[in-house]
Amino acid sequence: MKFQFTKEREAKLPNIFAKYPTKRAAMLPILWLVQEQEGWISEEAMQVVAAKLELAPGAVQEVVSFYTMFNRKPLGQHHIQVCNNFCCRLRGADWLVDYVKQKTGCKVGETSSDGRFHLSTVECLASCGTAPMMQINNDYYENLTPEKVDKILKDLT
Amino acid sequence: MTFVLTKNCEVQNMPQLEVARKHGAYASLEKLFARQPKDIIEEVKTSGLRGRGGAGFPTGMKWSFVPQNTGKPIYLVVNADESEPGTFKDRFLLERDPHLLIEGIIAASYAIGSHTAYVYFRGEFYRQWELFEKACAEARAAGLIGKNILGKGYDLEIYAHRGAGAYICGEETALLSSLEGGRGYPRIKPPFPAIEGLFACPTIVNNVETICAVPYIVREGGAGYRKFGTEKSSGTKLFSVCGHVKKPGVYEVPLGTPFKSFFKDYCGGTNGRPLKAVIVGGSSVPVLTAEQVMTMTLDYEAAQIAGTLLGSGGMIIVDDSVCAVEALADLARFYAHESCGQCTPCREGTGWSKKILDRLEAGRGEDSDISLLLQLADNMGGKTICTFADALAMPIRSWIKCFRTEFEDHLRLKTCPMKIGTLNSIRSS
Ligand SMILES: Cc1cc2nc3c(=O)[nH]c(=O)nc-3n(C[C@H](O)[C@H](O)[C@H](O)COP(=O)(O)O)c2cc1C
Ligand code: SF4
Ligand code: FES
């Protein structure tokens, strides 16, 4: 499938370019726009972005692969990211990964068979004081207990 | 008690301009524009403010390095990448009082002669970024950002930029590479960003907390800021406290506050078990034992005397339920994962340290492993493009120094002593 920005997103591009003295600096904001639209960044999308930035496709690929938040394949509907860094572990976060695995049926790095969830473990998310914590899509969920996790997962559409 | 930074952080709806203004936001601007930029730099020098991003470099001095005659634009870049394990204080300011940051950005930009400021948010800070964008839009509509601010003839644009997940992008030159649209690779210094930074132009990179202290300094003067803190560590600092502590959270205290009273009065002490160790400034700084930290005051000089650094102020409290080897292995895992891979001592050293610590913890260590770790640390320290490698070298040296017997116990017992009973009962048996 050929990648194309929606009209609404295409209209945002001039505003993004206006913020920077070089086209290349618009790289991350435009990649975010792609991911917001598609949920991931395909080879085709990288080519479109490269053309917009007047760069070789390889220059976009190397950037996409450097950053952990850019998805190079489609993930589930909800991306669950559990912090298992040192400080969260001090506050007893070890159970959280196992619990979320069990509740969603995903292994770490995998998408559930119904496509609803994708589970990742991540490094510190600047929420150490309110651990155990996870991020789902754009939101943080903190001071988690099994009951809270149940409710959060149930309330996701 | 609240002081310079967090005065309004408990106010409901503070991110709304109208509310912020009722609580004095942007009150420093009249004073700001009544003075010359170079006088503002002098005032910040007088204040003694030091960078709160980790390195503690004097802010006024850094600003004075910016050449004013190159004909190139000058940029201010605010570091809101906050990714150091244990650190969550910038997030607190971003969520509670974004207008304070904007006010600080206006003052800092005016002082260094910049007309464009970028704020680099870590990618995960989506809501904080959104909130900041909203605050900027309101400020722009009120004539506080944009052309001819408050009719004073000064122009400033502020742009928020999101990273995409990479700890190393908090390092200032990696951040600039990232902001330019590349991989987040640190660059060799010199040239320092103040001379040649973003888009090869003079650039000041400052932490969120540093910039948030500036409006107070403009309002009350450098001397006013010095009312807080000590001679060499003036002002107040945020500490984000986590781990085995009763009241984790973000606290603002005057520098020079004794750790002991801070820990008791603000944090409520440990969760009940004896304190074992404290990392006072984020995961990268040397760990201290309970005895060492109890006599320390929270300021730059005392930290140095105690053998550590204040760093980002990310304070990690560790009680006696934690095994030192496992703790260090966990930290090493993080650094091995986050090394950008440009320098061999860092890429290899972080990976090897993790491997060795994992086998030590599992009881499969070799007799030479402790000295091997120290050797790796020596190889990593000071031999790389950025100080990321030191950020693991320092924990390695300090955890071994503070808790050497525990490392030796793992070798002797061929297992983790914590997993078979208490350390003391084994040692006395
Ligand atoms: C590996 C590494 C990570 C860093 N991460 C951050 C960070 O997340 N936030 C920050 O403000 N500074 C960070 N720094 C420090 C910056 O390089 C820089 O010194 C700081 O942003 C300057 O601002 P300041 O003078 O106001 O402290 C990091 C440094 C290193 C070496
Ligand atoms: S020290 Fe490590 S993180 Fe820094 S540039 Fe070298 S490899 Fe990258
Ligand atoms: S260690 Fe998990 S949020 Fe910091």
Side-chain angles (χ1 to χ4, degrees):
Chain A
M1 252 274 289
K2 266 250 161 284
F3 170 83
Q4 232 184 342
F5 278 116
T6 59
K7 268 216 183 78
E8 171 198 42
R9 289 199 176 79
E10 185 78 37
K12 286 187 180 173
L13 297 182
N15 276 337
I16 293 177
F17 281 120
K19 295 179 184 177
Y20 310 95
T22 67
K23 285 221 146 133
R24 191 191 172 110
M27 176 90 76
L28 264 57
I30 292 183
L31 288 172
W32 274 122
L33 220 51
V34 174
Q35 185 154 307
E36 182 187 288
Q37 179 176 313
E38 305 290 314
W40 66 297
I41 302 176
S42 63
E43 289 292 330
E44 291 75 26
M46 290 185 218
Q47 281 166 18
V48 171
V49 173
K52 302 241 183 247
L53 299 177
E54 295 165 13
L55 294 170
V60 177
Q61 273 161 8
E62 68 173 38
V63 169
V64 171
S65 61
F66 182 84
Y67 296 94
T68 54
M69 291 182 78
F70 290 138
N71 307 324
R72 278 169 291 164
K73 56 178 204 271
L75 305 186
Q77 202 182 341
H78 300 293
H79 188 191
I80 306 178
Q81 310 189 64
V82 178
C83 176
N84 71 343
N85 198 284
F86 183 57
C87 309
C88 275
R89 297 193 61 212
L90 287 180
R91 279 173 64 87
D94 278 352
W95 62 268
L96 184 58
V97 181
D98 290 334
Y99 193 74
V100 175
K101 265 192 207 163
Q102 179 205 323
K103 284 280 155 182
T104 59
C106 311
K107 289 193 187 124
V108 174
E110 287 183 1
T111 305
S112 58
S113 50
D114 60 1
R116 256 168 68 73
F117 303 109
H118 183 92
L119 175 62
S120 310
T121 54
V122 291
E123 302 301 346
C124 179
L125 291 179
S127 190
C128 329
T130 43
M133 69 82 60
M134 61 185 173
Q135 178 165 23
I136 304 181
N137 307 325
N138 291 326
D139 290 297
Y140 279 24
Y141 297 90
E142 302 166 72
N143 290 315
L144 294 174
T145 58
E147 298 72 41
K148 275 194 188 172
V149 175
D150 289 348
K151 182 163 176 358
I152 291 160
L153 294 182
K154 213 178 86 206
D155 290 350
L156 289 174
T157 47
Chain B
M1 252 191 299
T2 48
F3 305 95
V4 174
L5 302 158
T6 56
K7 189 168 140 273
N8 295 320
C9 282
E10 301 302 328
V11 174
Q12 281 276 312
N13 299 323
M14 191 66 189
Q16 292 170 15
L17 182 59
E18 200 194 330
V19 177
R21 283 216 135 142
K22 268 192 209 134
H23 288 84
Y26 300 103
S28 70
L29 295 190
E30 281 295 326
K31 271 200 173 158
L32 178 77
F33 293 127
R35 304 185 60 187
Q36 291 300 312
K38 64 176 190 331
D39 298 334
I40 300 296
I41 296 184
E42 281 311 309
E43 208 64 70
V44 173
K45 275 189 183 165
T46 306
S47 77
L49 175 65
R50 295 170 63 165
R52 305 298 195 221
F57 193 84
T59 306
M61 196 194 294
K62 196 196 265 188
W63 293 4
S64 69
F65 294 154
V66 173
Q68 293 292 337
N69 53 1
T70 62
K72 292 184 193 170
I74 294 165
Y75 294 109
L76 176 73
V77 174
V78 180
N79 192 337
D81 193 59
E82 191 160 69
S83 313
E84 169 96 348
T87 314
F88 46 100
K89 45 112 189 163
D90 295 335
R91 178 184 164 202
F92 186 80
L93 293 171
L94 293 169
E95 289 176 358
R96 305 298 183 101
D97 199 354
H99 286 290
L100 180 64
L101 179 59
I102 297 174
E103 188 177 352
I105 291 172
I106 299 169
S109 301
Y110 176 76
I112 63 169
S114 166
H115 300 285
T116 311
Y118 295 99
V119 183
Y120 186 101
F121 288 81
R122 65 177 296 175
E124 293 87 349
F125 278 179
Y126 184 87
R127 296 298 175 205
Q128 295 78 357
W129 165 77
E130 203 176 43
L131 192 68
F132 184 77
E133 288 274 41
K134 217 183 264 171
C136 280
E138 275 198 275
R140 189 169 286 117
L144 295 159
I145 301 176
K147 293 252 175 272
N148 194 15
I149 293 173
L150 300 179
K152 304 289 183 185
Y154 174 67
D155 305 341
L156 175 67
E157 283 305 330
I158 303 178
Y159 300 123
H161 187 97
R162 278 177 76 209
Y167 167 71
I168 195 58
C169 288
E171 195 282 331
E172 57 184 6
T173 60
L175 188 154
L176 297 177
S177 305
S178 174
L179 190 42
E180 289 172 1
R183 291 178 286 192
Y185 279 166
R187 307 172 183 172
I188 293 169
K189 294 188 264 193
F192 287 93
I195 310 297
E196 198 180 312
L198 189 62
F199 308 118
C201 297
T203 303
I204 288 298
V205 183
N206 272 135
N207 172 257
V208 168
E209 184 188 346
T210 312
I211 294 295
C212 284
V214 175
Y216 187 94
I217 295 168
V218 173
R219 249 182 10 247
E220 310 291 329
Y225 185 74
R226 281 195 164 279
K227 283 193 314 226
F228 305 108
T230 67
E231 173 63 27
K232 285 197 183 134
S233 302
S234 60
T236 65
K237 164 107 194 78
L238 299 184
F239 288 92
S240 60
V241 187
C242 70
H244 296 137
V245 56
K246 204 161 274 161
K247 291 189 286 179
V250 177
Y251 303 103
E252 180 179 10
V253 292
L255 287 164
T257 301
F259 171 85
K260 196 171 176 179
S261 59
F262 171 72
F263 189 53
K264 182 164 151 282
D265 302 342
Y266 288 77
C267 314
T270 62
N271 273 333
R273 298 186 66 110
L275 183 66
K276 172 169 182 161
V278 176
I279 303 172
V280 293
S283 65
S284 303
V285 311
V287 67
L288 298 176
T289 62
E291 300 81 70
Q292 285 174 316
V293 76
M294 278 303 167
T295 55
M296 179 186 152
T297 51
L298 296 170
D299 53 78
Y300 295 100
E301 312 90 272
Q304 201 180 2
I305 292 166
T308 189
L309 298 157
L310 279 198
S312 61
M315 199 182 275
I316 309 170
I317 309 295
V318 179
D319 74 20
D320 72 344
S321 66
V322 172
C323 161
V325 178
E326 192 184 359
L328 184 57
D330 213 16
L331 291 172
R333 186 189 54 75
F334 171 73
Y335 289 94
H337 183 259
E338 298 292 331
S339 167
C340 88
Q342 280 192 102
C343 322
T344 313
C346 173
R347 187 184 59 239
E348 299 292 319
T350 52
W352 270 107
S353 305
K354 178 197 171 292
K355 248 187 221 159
I356 295 167
L357 284 158
D358 280 347
R359 76 175 177 228
L360 259 177
E361 173 60 12
R364 295 193 313 269
E366 288 161 25
D367 287 345
S368 55
D369 276 354
I370 299 175
S371 57
L372 192 54
L373 280 168
L374 292 170
Q375 220 176 328
L376 281 170
D378 280 344
N379 254 318
M380 284 191 270
K383 296 199 175 69
T384 48
I385 295 175
C386 83
T387 52
F388 175 94
D390 299 77
L392 178 59
M394 291 189 290
I396 290 177
R397 290 199 196 100
S398 59
W399 282 90
I400 293 179
K401 190 168 155 217
C402 292
F403 302 105
R404 189 166 188 123
T405 46
E406 269 182 61
F407 286 78
E408 290 165 352
D409 285 344
H410 280 72
L411 283 172
R412 194 164 49 80
L413 298 166
K414 301 208 180 316
T415 183
C416 173
M418 292 278 190
K419 301 219 161 83
I420 52 173
T422 71
L423 267 181
N424 289 338
S425 65
I426 295 162
R427 289 221 183 91
S428 56
S429 69

